[in-house]
Amino acid sequence: MSLDEVYREVIMDHYQNPRHHGHLEQPTLSVGLHNPTCGDELRLDLQVSDDGVVQDAVFEGQGCSISMAAASMFTEAVRGKSLGEANRIAESFKDLLMRRESDRSILGELEALEGVAKFPARVKCATLVMNAFEKAIRKMSEGGGSGNVQA
Ligand code: ZN
């Protein structure tokens, strides 16, 4: 099996069996985003401790296999990480898709989406969950606290 085929299987597995699908009753942060170019819709709920650790990350939404697989992989990757670490995962993933220098060691299964770099129109699908995450973090810092953010 080629690496491409392995990657495709990992993506389809996350799409068909999303790891952290659903919503939180009282999320610290909750951000919805949609990607008009493809029609993907996503809501990301985060539970963040007072010392800035992502205790829980879940998503729900509808969209193409790439957007949903990326959300499943990202929520898996950031659980238990500090917000700073989670942010580095998001940045490294974007770097990977932009073909810039990227820290692959922290990406986990997200690396399987590397092939999306060949399809610029789909990069927005793959990064939708990271954009939701970054928007949540911005709102949190602007608000000066860990209030529930609806976007
Ligand atoms: Zn899409």
Side-chain angles (χ1 to χ4, degrees), residues 35 38-40 63-67 122 124-126:
N35 170 19
C38 180
D40 309 313
C64 66
S65 56
I66 291 172
S67 65
R122 309 304 298 281
K124 279 187 182 169
C125 302

Side-chain angles (χ1 to χ4, degrees), residues 24-28 46-47 148:
L24 300 177
E25 288 306 320
Q26 290 188 304
T28 317
L46 299 171
Q47 196 70 49
N148 188 352

Side-chain angles (χ1 to χ4, degrees), residues 66-80:
I66 291 172
S67 65
M68 294 295 112
S72 175
M73 292 171 182
F74 184 71
T75 50
E76 177 93 342
V78 300
R79 285 173 161 233

Side-chain angles (χ1 to χ4, degrees), residues 106-118:
I106 61 174
L107 289 179
E109 290 187 305
L110 284 165
E111 203 177 3
L113 289 163
E114 181 177 10
V116 174
K118 283 179 265 183

